[in-house]
Amino acid sequence: MSSKVTRFGVSIEKELAEKFDSHIEQEGYGNRSEAIRDLIREHLSIEQLGTDRTPAVASMSLIYDHHHRELPDMLNTLQHEYQQIIVSSLHVHVDHDNCMEVVIFRGPNCWIKKAANRLMATRGVKHGKLTMTTVS
Ligand code: NI
């Protein structure tokens, strides 16, 4: 372990820890540390998205390899999680390996950024682009 790495202990309810373990196993993490590092990074990057609640509309395109383990399921789950701000989505089978997903959002600026960031950061997504504009 490099000297630039720090260790800390976390106290957590047994039931929550078990849920977390089975969740990270499904997502393909090798160990808890890896998963917790990703959670912290995600949390910090969401904070940087700010609290701008201006009504906005946006479209996002994602290119991904549909052979990638669990990726299509994960993208689907995330879209259900954000159904309040996802107006529609379009799936295009680009070639043998690649799919394109176009997602249209409508809602508060910072919510859209958060949802789009999570979708684009899903492991296995090759390319993602968000185009956002305000309504007012
Ligand atoms: Ni496809």
Side-chain angles (χ1 to χ4, degrees), residues 17-110:
E18 283 168 2
K19 277 187 188 164
F20 186 64
D21 285 344
S22 81
H23 177 75
I24 65 178
E25 197 192 324
Q26 273 176 21
E27 290 202 8
Y29 282 103
N31 56 57
R32 283 178 181 162
S33 293
E34 232 180 277
I36 289 168
R37 279 194 292 272
D38 269 6
L39 279 177
I40 292 172
R41 284 191 200 103
E42 189 191 309
H43 190 82
L44 293 175
S45 73
I46 286 166
E47 226 157 62
Q48 286 164 5
L49 299 177
T51 54
D52 181 2
R53 297 175 62 87
T54 311
V57 285
S59 70
M60 180 192 63
S61 56
L62 297 175
I63 301 287
Y64 65 93
D65 183 342
H66 72 96
H67 298 300
H68 197 281
R69 191 171 149 259
E70 290 160 9
L71 176 62
D73 270 359
M74 182 56 72
L75 291 177
N76 189 36
T77 301
L78 281 171
Q79 289 189 54
H80 278 275
E81 204 174 301
Y82 291 105
Q83 46 82 19
Q84 279 179 297
I85 55 166
I86 291 178
V87 179
S88 182
S89 69
L90 169 74
H91 185 100
V92 179
H93 309 296
V94 178
D95 56 31
H96 183 265
D97 300 317
N98 295 295
C99 295
M100 178 170 75
E101 191 110 350
V102 180
V103 181
I104 309 297
F105 298 94
R106 180 174 55 202
N109 182 307
C110 60

